[in-house]
Amino acid sequence: MRPIGAVEHEAFVRARRAVSFLQTPAWGRVKTEWRSESLGWFDGPRLVGAGLVLHRPVPRLDRFTLAYLAEGPVIDWSGEIGPWLDPAAAYLKEHGAFAIRLGPPVVTDTWSAAQVKEGIADPDVRRLTDLPAQWGDPVGARVSSSLQDAGWLPQNPQDGFGAGHPQFKYEVPLAGRTEAEVLGGMNQQWRRNIKKAAKEGVEVTVAAGGPQDLKAFHDLYVHTAERDRFTPRPLRYFETMFAALGTEGPERITLYLAHHRGDLVATTVLIRVGAHAVYAYGASATEKREVRGSNACQWAMIRDARAAGCDVYDLRGITPTLDADDPHVGLVRFKAGTGGRAVRYVGEWDLPLRPLVYRAFDLYMKRHKTVRRRAR
């Protein structure tokens, strides 16, 4: 195992069927507040695995870092994982990491849209995990068991959202399905909203992603943040994201704008790496919500992803709640309307390399989280 250059890393990613955009070398240039490096696993001269590592310094102990591989690394998870992870631990500890955090891109369970709908309607069902999975992946179960046996610590919060990336997602399978089949798999409300947007004359265009387009997106995004009470990212973040990901190809990141009679009513960002398309960001106007611009944007992205040969359209994170009284269930219900499936991944795991420093970092993070809750 050794560091590799961005060109070699990107070539490896392009040779794979699908990779998380969080494991592309360009993503390291987006996360400017962390130091990034690309690492490669070699079998002789042949590169057989790669990972983007983001190094997060410890407050007041800058010489130690948390080595974070979000939704990675890109290795063969189907066999023994020790030969992959042991050299990574040795290398990263030698270079100042006090712990490794990774999120294997490996599924453990899936639930159909019908199961999600029935679970929300059943007062005795509170969480996805209260339902029998439609399908369970033995690889995911084996990876979880192997990590635990090797001393890795699970970092998956009860509600599904933590400091890192979500364990539960919602995905729409596209492989082998026609456009009509994908549309037919949606519930009646989604199909009605897509039809209404077309009838109302909503026009969805793919923007060039220039300064004017990003400013229009960001203005609507800030408006959405104020309405829905979340903290928006600055415009500079999106300018950096489009510039960095765009260097890996014009298909990597795309901005969609939905207009109704000249007014911007919705906008979304699609990121694609190989056969994996991701709904990354979205925003909508409070006025004219009845013309269903958000549904029109989603449908445009799904159609384009399918036409590009993608296997899956990834709507990103959900919480595992099916409790009708939980405020997060609305997001679950909205995404389940696309058809598709709820998916549980192995989740994120930590391996402490310097236990004393790791405990200090863990205590700091818990205190920081408590302060943020009090602030809200």
Side-chain angles (χ1 to χ4, degrees):
M1 183 179 187
R2 62 172 173 80
I4 57 175
V7 173
E8 190 174 16
H9 189 175
E10 185 183 342
F12 180 82
V13 167
R14 286 195 177 278
R16 311 275 80 74
R17 178 68 183 168
V19 172
S20 168
F21 69 90
L22 303 172
Q23 282 297 302
T24 63
W27 191 247
R29 298 192 291 274
V30 176
K31 308 304 287 186
T32 55
E33 69 276 24
W34 293 17
R35 178 173 63 85
S36 66
E37 70 172 329
S38 296
L39 295 179
W41 285 260
F42 289 83
D43 181 5
R46 187 166 63 96
L47 180 64
V48 293
L52 176 73
V53 184
L54 299 177
H55 291 275
R56 178 175 183 168
V58 180
R60 295 187 293 276
L61 289 171
D62 290 346
R63 65 194 182 98
F64 295 121
T65 65
L66 171 67
Y68 185 30
L69 294 94
E71 298 185 2
V74 184
I75 59 175
D76 180 6
W77 291 96
S78 64
E80 292 296 322
I81 62 175
W84 297 94
L85 301 186
D86 292 347
Y91 171 88
L92 290 168
K93 183 176 182 179
E94 182 183 350
H95 289 80
F98 69 87
I100 307 172
R101 176 169 295 172
L102 51 76
V106 181
V107 171
T108 60
D109 304 282
T110 66
W111 295 266
S112 68
Q115 285 181 292
V116 173
K117 180 180 178 181
E118 291 167 5
I120 294 173
D122 187 342
D124 293 329
V125 175
R126 313 278 298 190
R127 298 168 57 82
L128 272 170
T129 48
D130 293 338
L131 298 171
Q134 183 185 46
W135 178 75
D137 191 333
V139 173
R142 186 166 61 251
V143 168
S144 295
S145 178
S146 298
L147 288 170
Q148 189 166 16
D149 291 346
W152 291 76
L153 307 174
Q155 302 297 306
N156 305 314
Q158 187 75 6
D159 66 0
F161 286 139
H165 293 275
Q167 182 183 18
F168 292 83
K169 298 182 186 180
Y170 207 88
E171 300 175 352
V172 179
L174 301 176
R177 303 175 73 193
T178 66
E179 187 177 298
E181 287 171 338
V182 175
L183 182 63
M186 296 180 178
N187 68 15
Q188 187 178 33
Q189 187 64 53
W190 261 85
R191 295 196 303 272
R192 184 184 298 122
N193 288 345
I194 291 170
K195 186 176 181 180
K196 182 171 185 180
K199 184 178 179 181
E200 292 284 349
V202 173
E203 296 182 355
V204 180
T205 57
V206 173
Q212 187 174 350
D213 296 327
L214 286 178
K215 180 65 166 57
F217 158 77
H218 192 259
D219 287 347
L220 196 58
Y221 166 72
V222 170
H223 167 79
T224 303
E226 292 171 351
R227 183 189 67 220
D228 296 347
R229 298 181 181 179
F230 65 86
T231 302
R233 293 187 181 276
L235 175 60
R236 182 61 187 159
Y237 180 84
F238 293 100
E239 291 172 339
T240 301
M241 181 188 296
F242 271 78
L245 294 179
T247 62
E248 293 189 343
E251 81 289 348
R252 185 70 83 232
I253 185 166
T254 310
L255 178 64
Y256 289 75
L257 302 174
H259 287 89
H260 179 258
R261 297 178 183 174
D263 297 323
L264 183 63
V265 293
T267 177
T268 50
V269 176
L270 181 74
I271 300 177
R272 180 166 69 86
V273 184
H276 193 98
V278 178
Y279 164 45
Y281 286 93
S284 62
T286 302
E287 299 294 326
K288 293 191 172 183
R289 297 185 83 173
E290 71 280 1
V291 303
R292 303 301 177 184
S294 292
N295 294 95
C297 276
Q298 290 289 343
W299 180 228
M301 292 195 297
I302 291 171
R303 292 175 66 193
D304 287 353
R306 196 204 68 82
C310 289
D311 294 332
V312 67
Y313 177 73
D314 184 348
L315 285 132
R316 300 296 287 171
I318 57 172
T319 65
T321 184
L322 296 181
D323 184 349
D325 295 326
D326 190 308
H328 291 116
V329 80
L331 180 65
V332 178
R333 187 182 285 116
F334 171 78
K335 292 183 178 182
T338 61
R341 62 198 179 195
V343 181
R344 177 168 64 177
Y345 282 79
V346 167
E348 296 194 326
W349 296 70
D350 283 5
L351 179 66
L353 302 174
R354 292 178 170 85
L356 288 177
V357 181
Y358 180 79
R359 282 198 290 271
F361 174 79
D362 191 47
L363 183 61
Y364 168 82
M365 292 302 293
K366 287 176 180 175
R367 286 176 176 171
H368 186 59
K369 191 179 296 183
T370 301
V371 169
R372 283 192 299 173
R373 282 184 183 141
R374 286 173 180 167
R376 287 202 297 266

